């Protein structure tokens, strides 16, 4: 519990207002446009949600399976968690930080906002 306590304790006003713990859709597009060798996008949505939409560049580990499957994620790369809103990605962020992942961000966007980036116009600009 101490590691979880420490991860949450770092989330003071200065930390949260800095935005350093999040990635915007624009940031995601930039990473994807430049190649993502140093970034792993982590989809923490449920298997059922995956039946409707899959982003092929992401690693899928449902949030409820993440504690048992963290060994599938590299600690030497940035891990950016996302979900259909921002709630589960925030939980994933906290869990990963508590387990020693230093390079973690959560998407500061809903799936609806993310999907807009993959329409032909925006996609062609990546």
């Amino acid at each position: 519990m101490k590691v979880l306590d420490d991860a949450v304790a770092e989330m003071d006003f200065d930390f949260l207002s800095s935005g350093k713990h999040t990635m915007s859709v624009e940031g995601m597009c930039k990473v994807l446009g430049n190649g993502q060798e140093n970034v792993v996008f982590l989809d923490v949505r449920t298997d059922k949600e995956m039946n409707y939409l899959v982003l092929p560049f992401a690693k899928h580990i449902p949030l409820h399976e993440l504690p048992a499957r963290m060994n599938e994620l590299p600690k030497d790369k940035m891990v950016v968690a996302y979900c259909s809103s921002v709630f589960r990605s925030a939980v994933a962020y906290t869990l990963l930080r508590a387990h020693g992942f230093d390079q973690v961000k959560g998407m500061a966007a809903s799936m609806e906002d993310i999907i807009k980036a993959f329409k032909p116009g925006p996609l062609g600009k990546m």
Side-chain angles (χ1 to χ4, degrees):
M1 278 306 236
K2 172 121 175 57
V3 291
L4 181 58
D5 292 345
D6 292 344
V8 173
E10 75 180 12
M11 297 179 196
D12 62 10
F13 180 79
D14 291 335
F15 171 80
L16 293 171
S17 64
S18 74
K20 293 178 183 176
H21 61 293
T22 63
M23 180 178 283
S24 65
V25 173
E26 293 79 16
M28 177 194 68
C29 292
K30 184 176 178 181
V31 167
L32 291 172
N34 292 332
Q36 64 180 57
E37 307 85 37
N38 296 319
V39 178
V40 174
F41 287 93
L42 175 61
D43 186 340
V44 295
R45 296 176 301 145
T46 65
D47 290 336
K48 187 172 182 177
E49 289 171 291
M50 296 294 288
N51 290 331
Y52 300 102
L53 177 69
V54 174
L55 298 180
F57 56 82
K59 170 85 173 159
H60 175 241
I61 301 177
L63 181 62
H64 68 278
E65 295 178 13
L66 187 56
R69 295 179 59 190
M70 282 192 198
N71 63 330
E72 296 177 31
L73 298 169
K75 285 192 171 183
D76 63 340
K77 295 184 179 185
M78 173 71 64
V79 177
V80 181
Y82 71 89
C83 61
S84 56
S85 61
V86 294
F87 177 74
R88 286 175 285 177
S89 63
V91 173
Y93 170 90
T94 305
L95 189 58
L96 290 167
R97 290 288 298 140
H99 283 269
F101 286 79
D102 294 326
Q103 301 179 71
V104 182
K105 291 185 183 272
M107 282 297 297
S110 68
M111 277 303 292
E112 292 171 12
D113 293 331
I114 294 170
I115 292 167
K116 289 177 187 175
F118 295 99
K119 290 185 177 184
L123 187 59
K125 295 177 185 174
M126 280 188 203

